Amino acid sequence: GESVGLHLPTLSVQEGDNSIINCAYSNSASDYFIWYKQESGKGPQFIIDIRSNMDKRQGQRVTVLLNKTVKHLSLQIAATQPGDSAVYFCAENSSNQFYFGTGTSLTVIP
Amino acid sequence: NAGVTQTPKFQVLKTGQSMTLQCAQDMNHEYMSWYRQDPGMGLRLIHYSVGAGITDQGEVPNGYNVSRSTTEDFPLRLLSAAPSQTSVYFCASSFHGAEDTQYFGPGTRLTVL
């Protein structure tokens, strides 16, 4: 199967700082990537996606960067807020299936 | 739209019992899928469907059956529950297959004793 991993299982940031969550993937044929946010007791919530023909995509306070050369994906959250505290997952699509990483727990310190 | 709905929210089974987890979506999505989430292992794909009448296996299909008789519904059946199937189960759907944003249901927490 696919291997999608995260460099850091936990991340703590001060409120107002920027957060960066990293993800490595193993299948160079993967062509679509999504970042999800999951709060306790809830299902994953879509944050932002990127296709393999792009290297950067921006949303509201979030940016996803894709480096296909080293098979690395990152999620940047600007001006992190307490409501951003959650577990963040990256997912890659390959052959009509999604493969998820184990997640990074983000804690925002007020 | 209600989005993706799942029932029940919680379920406790004894080893060997069978049950069906229900999933429905009202967004006319073609693609539906079932995942299980275990601590420290992220989400793993059990089965998926690219349209009514079509299903396929994911990463961890053993012990589970699915069917897709309508676009809206995608039930997951546990044939003979085992403690290893204790997990949180999520259903997801997307409009145009896996190349599209997946929307997740709220999950079903299953405990097998």
Side-chain angles (χ1 to χ4, degrees):
Chain A
E2 304 297 320
S3 171
V4 181
L6 295 168
H7 294 304
L8 294 173
T10 61
L11 178 65
S12 295
V13 298
Q14 292 286 340
E15 181 179 357
D17 287 352
N18 296 334
S19 303
I20 299 176
I21 301 172
N22 296 303
C23 179
Y25 64 95
S26 60
N27 188 350
S28 57
S30 293
D31 53 8
Y32 180 54
F33 305 86
I34 301 180
W35 279 102
Y36 285 95
K37 172 186 180 182
Q38 187 176 26
E39 297 174 295
S40 181
K42 297 183 179 179
Q45 177 186 1
F46 171 87
I47 301 173
I48 192 167
D49 60 358
I50 189 167
R51 299 193 185 275
S52 58
N53 61 352
M54 304 172 70
D55 53 20
K56 180 178 180 180
R57 190 156 191 234
Q58 288 184 294
Q60 189 176 18
R61 283 202 306 118
V62 294
T63 301
V64 55
L65 299 177
L66 175 62
N67 186 331
K68 294 181 287 294
T69 302
V70 295
K71 291 183 283 189
H72 184 266
L73 195 67
S74 69
L75 175 70
Q76 300 177 1
I77 304 173
T80 313
Q81 302 169 359
D84 294 328
S85 292
V87 176
Y88 291 81
F89 294 94
C90 64
E92 62 174 313
N93 172 266
S94 177
S95 302
N96 224 16
Q97 299 187 26
F98 272 101
Y99 298 89
F100 283 77
T102 54
T104 291
S105 177
L106 174 65
T107 300
V108 181
I109 303 167
Chain B
N1 288 350
V4 180
T5 58
Q6 291 183 238
T7 55
K9 282 188 173 295
F10 302 95
Q11 183 70 51
V12 179
L13 292 177
K14 294 181 179 178
T15 297
Q17 287 185 314
S18 62
M19 79 157 296
T20 299
L21 307 185
Q22 301 292 343
C23 175
Q25 52 87 14
D26 60 358
M27 299 174 282
N28 201 31
H29 283 177
E30 295 178 350
Y31 185 93
M32 296 186 73
S33 54
W34 276 102
Y35 294 86
R36 60 178 289 173
Q37 185 174 33
D38 302 299
M41 299 189 72
L43 286 88
R44 292 182 292 169
L45 182 66
I46 304 171
H47 285 286
Y48 66 98
S49 169
V50 299
I54 305 169
T55 63
D56 210 341
Q57 296 182 349
E59 194 178 350
V60 288
N62 292 341
Y64 307 95
N65 275 359
V66 292
S67 59
R68 186 92 181 271
S69 56
T70 66
T71 300
E72 295 79 17
D73 301 297
F74 191 44
L76 178 72
R77 297 183 185 84
L78 280 70
L79 308 173
S80 178
S84 61
Q85 293 179 304
T86 294
S87 188
V88 180
Y89 291 85
F90 289 101
C91 179
S93 72
S94 63
F95 192 56
H96 276 311
E99 289 288 317
D100 201 355
T101 305
Q102 287 199 93
Y103 296 92
F104 282 81
T108 294
R109 184 174 293 274
L110 176 68
T111 301
V112 182
L113 303 176

